[in-house]
Amino acid sequence: MSLEVKKLGFSVSLDDFGSGYSSLNVLSKLNIDELKIDRIFLHIDSELENKKTKWILEAIINIAKKSNIRVVVEGVESIEDDRFIRCIGANVGQGYYYSRPLSIDAFNDLIHKK
């Protein structure tokens, strides 16, 4: 299915990776262009669990990049989150740190101001 969609000129993105039933096996089986990593990897309470989770996040990013898959990390809410995802090699961050969700009109206004 993704090959047919790609032939039409679309990119294929896998959203919310790391939550639910997603697994590393998916990365080898699906022909995707982009991996959107779920926000749970950035927002852990326990310091020990946080450290382990961030090591796992870094490994996922490395695997994706070696597979030529663009990586978006969701849930970036602070400058620390932004610095961290840049440090470990994510291509893009998504979250309230950059902008709250915008209506189409507000987005167009923002683009035209620049």
Side-chain angles (χ1 to χ4, degrees):
M1 173 70 149
S2 66
L3 285 176
E4 294 168 19
V5 170
K6 287 178 140 194
K7 285 179 184 175
L8 295 172
F10 292 95
S11 294
V12 179
S13 181
L14 177 61
D15 197 16
D16 294 332
F17 185 82
S19 64
Y21 295 103
S22 61
S23 71
L24 291 175
N25 190 37
V26 168
L27 297 181
S28 67
K29 294 193 182 294
L30 294 179
N31 186 9
I32 61 173
D33 301 296
E34 180 179 79
L35 182 68
K36 293 185 74 178
I37 298 177
D38 192 87
R39 67 183 304 281
I40 61 170
F41 287 97
L42 290 182
H43 304 284
I44 305 296
D45 293 331
S46 154
E47 188 173 329
L48 178 60
E49 187 180 1
N50 191 3
K51 197 174 203 179
K52 288 180 182 179
T53 301
K54 288 185 177 183
W55 288 335
I56 292 167
L57 176 58
E58 187 171 13
I60 292 168
I61 290 171
N62 287 332
I63 291 167
K65 288 189 123 187
K66 287 179 181 178
S67 302
N68 294 314
I69 299 170
R70 218 174 21 253
V71 178
V72 176
V73 178
E74 300 173 330
V76 178
E77 296 179 359
S78 67
I79 193 166
E80 291 82 14
D81 291 343
D82 179 69
R83 286 181 183 146
F84 173 70
I85 67 163
R86 289 173 189 265
C87 177
I88 62 172
N91 299 99
V92 178
Q94 176 185 326
Y96 287 122
Y97 174 69
Y98 308 111
S99 175
R100 297 223 177 261
L102 300 173
S103 68
I104 292 173
D105 291 336
F107 178 76
N108 285 331
D109 289 345
L110 180 67
I111 296 301
H112 294 299
K113 286 180 185 175
K114 291 186 175 183

